Each structure stands twice: as structure tokens, then as C-alpha cells.
Amino acid sequence: MVASLDNVRGLTLAMSSSAFIGSSFVIKKIGLKKAGDSGSRARAGSGGHSYLYEPLWWLGMVTMILGEIANFAAYAFAPAILVTPLGALSIIFSAVLAHFILKERLHMFGVVGCILCVVGSVGIVLHAPKEREINSVEEIWHFATQPGFIVYSCVAVVGALFLIFWAVKRSGHRKMLVYIAICSLMGSLTVISVKAVAIALKLSFSESNQFIYIQTWFFIFVVIICCLVQLNYLNKALDSFNTAVVSPIYYVMFTILTILANMIMYKDWVSQSATQIATQLCGFVTIVAGTFLLHKTNTSSTDRHVERAPTPPPPPPPDQIRVQG
């Protein structure tokens, strides 16, 4: 009976977390639009930071922080396999609020793409290997310094730097996948580091101080840097593109890379059966299809809203020209 009550508490916290996070996308988008419409400073999509002076943007940040706190607390009451898939609900909250408040209409193919993304992501999360229990920061550091995860970390950092310093300058203002890829690559490293910091806090409260180890402070440094990068480029994506499209693609890409990082670091895939691996591959294909539909919907909507130059009238026939002359 106690376990059932804990599951109810965990579900309630997870659902409230999705509501807070989904709402934060819309609130921050309103703040970004107000900051951009003021005209006093450059927009976030152009590299400006005028949104820092907008109270609505900060309200959205507070809402997102509350959602993350609720999400963190949910893991204390319910298993991760129950809490993590509910993060997809933030997409629903964001899309519905964007439709009614921001008037951002999501067309039929966009709705289908959103559903495919959610179904594929939930399928991957539900069939992902369970994480092993970690009892110390030094244990996490041992996993983090294994060759496989070092290679993944280098690829993630180099990939993010390539996107920031090369791809953004050439196509970042037109393609939201560049912004979201940066956020997701940094986000996968953030999750690993946040877990290490959370374990350090838990053990420290249990009279086993983990903050005397330099590894703990290294993980804190990684969390700060990655969060700042994520925040900057997520603001650029929200300021430049449709919220109802940004939210699901960000959720999908972040979920895939986070699961991949955990599988490489903890090597849980070794204990999986062929059926579980095949199910995850099917989920990945479903996500790719949904992402393609969402991206095509966004591109088509942009093309329809581009103002076309008026077509000049055709020249008069030669007979009329001679008569006028």
C-alpha cells in the first residue's frame, strides 16, 4: 500500500513537472517576442540578450526550474521507467498553449509527426536498459573515464563546437535542428553530471562528505557550462521558430542522446536481449519519421508566410504601342 502511494506521488510530481516545463516554453516565447518587438536591442535569434531585461522571460525560467525540481523529486518516489516517459507530456502542454495563446497553428502532418515522436520516444525509454545503482562519486568517475565514454564526450563536445562556430554562422538562423542539436549534445553530458552531483548531495547529507573530492567539483563545473550553452541556444530556437515544433524535436533528440550516453557509460546494453534491442531500433525509426514530418511542416509554414514580390504587369501588345505613338 505504501509503494502504491509512493507511485501516485511520483506520477503527480512527474505530471506537474511536464505542465510546468511545457508552459515555460510558451511563457519564455512571449517574453522573447516582447523583448524583440521593443527594438532597443538585438533579438535572441540574432545573438542578442535583450530577453534578460524582460520579466516574462524570467517568469518562464522560474516555471522551468520548478518543473525540473518536481521532475527530480519524482524519481525519489517512483522508478525511472515510470517517470521518464511522462516527460513527453510537456510536448502536449506546450503545443496546446501555443495554439491558443501564441496562435501557432500546427497542421495535420505536424500533429502526426508529434504523435510519432512521442510514441517512438516512449518506446525507446520503456525498453531502455535499467541503470545500475551508484553509491559514490568515485564510482561514477570510474565509469566516466572509461575509453568508450571518453570517446563519446569528445565527439559530443567537438560536434557542439563545430555547430556553434561553423554551422550556426551559415544556416543556424534558418534551421532549428542546428540549435536543438547543440542543446541536446550538451544536455546528454548535463544529465551524467547532474546525476553525479545529486549522488554527492545525497551521500553528503548521509554524513559522507563528497565535496572533498575534486571529481565532484568537476561535475559541478560541467553542469554550469553545459546549462549555459543549452539556455543560450534554446532561446535562439524559441525566438526563431514555432514553439509547437521546437518542443517535440528537442525532447526527441535530447532523449535519444541521453539514453545513448548512459548506455555507453554504464554498458547496460550488454544485458539486453535481441528483442529489446530490436524494439529500440523500431522506436528510433519512428522518431526519425516523426521528426521529418515536423521539420517539413515547419518549412512549409515558413514558405507560406514569406511575402512574395508583386508580379509586374505584362507589356502592352505591339499594336497598342504603335497606336499610342
Side-chain angles (χ1 to χ4, degrees), residues 183-310:
C183 295
S184 301
L185 286 170
M186 292 294 97
S188 64
L189 300 178
T190 302
V191 170
I192 298 295
S193 301
V194 164
K195 181 173 182 179
V197 176
I199 290 175
L201 287 170
K202 177 183 176 182
L203 295 176
S204 297
F205 285 130
S206 302
E207 299 181 356
S208 177
N209 188 9
Q210 298 292 307
F211 289 89
I212 60 175
Y213 302 111
I214 191 173
Q215 293 93 330
T216 303
W217 294 102
F218 175 80
F219 284 124
I220 292 175
F221 175 76
V222 173
V223 170
I224 294 173
I225 296 300
C226 291
C227 284
L228 290 175
V229 174
Q230 285 178 259
L231 183 63
N232 183 37
Y233 285 96
L234 181 59
N235 284 328
K236 291 177 183 291
L238 288 173
D239 190 47
S240 304
F241 301 99
N242 194 313
T243 306
V245 180
V246 170
S247 300
I249 294 181
Y250 176 58
Y251 168 79
V252 166
M253 199 174 294
F254 172 79
T255 302
I256 290 176
L257 291 178
T258 298
I259 292 177
L260 178 63
N262 279 272
M263 289 177 65
I264 293 174
M265 183 168 174
Y266 299 114
K267 298 180 176 63
D268 292 326
W269 54 270
V270 177
S271 61
Q272 284 194 292
S273 64
T275 303
Q276 290 174 314
I277 295 175
T279 304
Q280 292 179 35
L281 289 176
C282 291
F284 179 74
V285 172
T286 305
I287 289 172
V288 171
T291 304
F292 174 77
L293 284 177
L294 283 169
H295 188 56
K296 292 298 292 182
T297 300
N298 181 60
T299 304
S300 301
S301 300
T302 304
D303 293 340
R304 281 194 295 269
H305 285 86
V306 173
E307 293 184 1
R308 302 180 183 275

Side-chain angles (χ1 to χ4, degrees), residues 45-47 49 155-173 175-187 189 225-234 236:
S46 303
H49 298 87
V155 170
V157 172
V158 171
L161 291 175
F162 170 78
L163 294 173
I164 291 172
F165 293 105
W166 190 86
V168 167
K169 293 180 180 179
R170 288 163 174 78
S171 60
H173 64 284
K175 297 184 179 179
M176 66 180 170
L177 290 178
V178 176
Y179 293 142
I180 297 177
I182 296 171
C183 295
S184 301
L185 286 170
M186 292 294 97
L189 300 178
I225 296 300
C226 291
C227 284
L228 290 175
V229 174
Q230 285 178 259
L231 183 63
N232 183 37
Y233 285 96
L234 181 59
K236 291 177 183 291

